[in-house]
Amino acid sequence: MTTPYSSRLRLPEARWARHLSEPKLFAAGQEWDVIRVEADLGVRAVRLLEASGTPLGPVLHDQTNDQAYFLVPPGSARTWQHERTRALGHGSWVVLAPPGWEGGLLRWMSDPTDSPPHTPTADLARAFAAATAQSGTNTRPRAHPC
């Protein structure tokens, strides 16, 4: 369970969230890039990362389009390749909610205040491959336009 964003002020590395009081559009490619994936695959990947003790950065679930958004190190979108995902880097825009946000259809699966600033891409790729294999879907990498 999350608490209201105003009571969560320990954001040493999530500078983008420090004064955020409602969802806002942010440019990717500066403090982070984003890997977008179907929410069901994202939830499985989150569970696998948590079970393995792997550091998990912020992960947002947008219930309007049933997508999960993993914040990854800036520049990661240039080399990211994994089926059923889309890398969003420089030139892309993403709506992010304040930490602990409880309004609307945006929910943090891994809140920025409770996590490192990013999920390591190598760990995320392994989690997506394992989660995809669990669903019985082909995991062959392919390039994605950004």
Side-chain angles (χ1 to χ4, degrees):
M1 178 154 156
T2 58
T3 60
Y5 70 91
S6 60
S7 68
R8 309 184 91 184
L9 299 176
R10 50 187 179 83
L11 297 167
E13 300 198 50
R15 290 183 303 234
W16 58 269
R18 284 196 176 137
H19 302 288
L20 196 58
S21 61
E22 61 185 271
K24 181 180 172 186
L25 190 63
F26 287 91
Q30 296 173 20
E31 292 187 50
W32 38 258
D33 284 355
V34 170
I35 304 302
R36 184 178 69 199
V37 63
E38 299 163 5
D40 64 330
L41 182 60
V43 167
R44 285 195 304 272
V46 165
R47 288 180 182 154
L48 289 165
L49 289 164
E50 289 175 337
S52 70
T54 302
L56 178 63
V59 181
L60 185 69
H61 178 202
D62 183 345
Q63 297 173 353
T64 59
N65 63 9
D66 208 25
Q67 299 285 302
Y69 296 81
F70 288 77
L71 273 60
V72 296
S76 300
R78 288 190 304 266
T79 59
W80 179 262
Q81 293 185 12
H82 196 281
E83 195 162 324
R84 296 178 63 189
T85 68
R86 172 111 191 247
L88 305 170
H90 185 73
S92 298
W93 294 82
V94 180
V95 174
L96 296 179
W101 180 254
E102 294 181 3
L105 296 173
L106 296 173
R107 298 276 188 253
W108 287 104
M109 287 193 268
S110 177
D111 198 279
T113 59
D114 297 332
S115 61
H118 312 108
T119 300
T121 53
D123 296 327
L124 186 57
R126 282 190 292 276
F128 283 151
T132 303
Q134 285 178 352
S135 69
T137 305
N138 185 341
T139 61
R140 183 174 35 97
R142 63 179 173 93
H144 293 278
C146 293

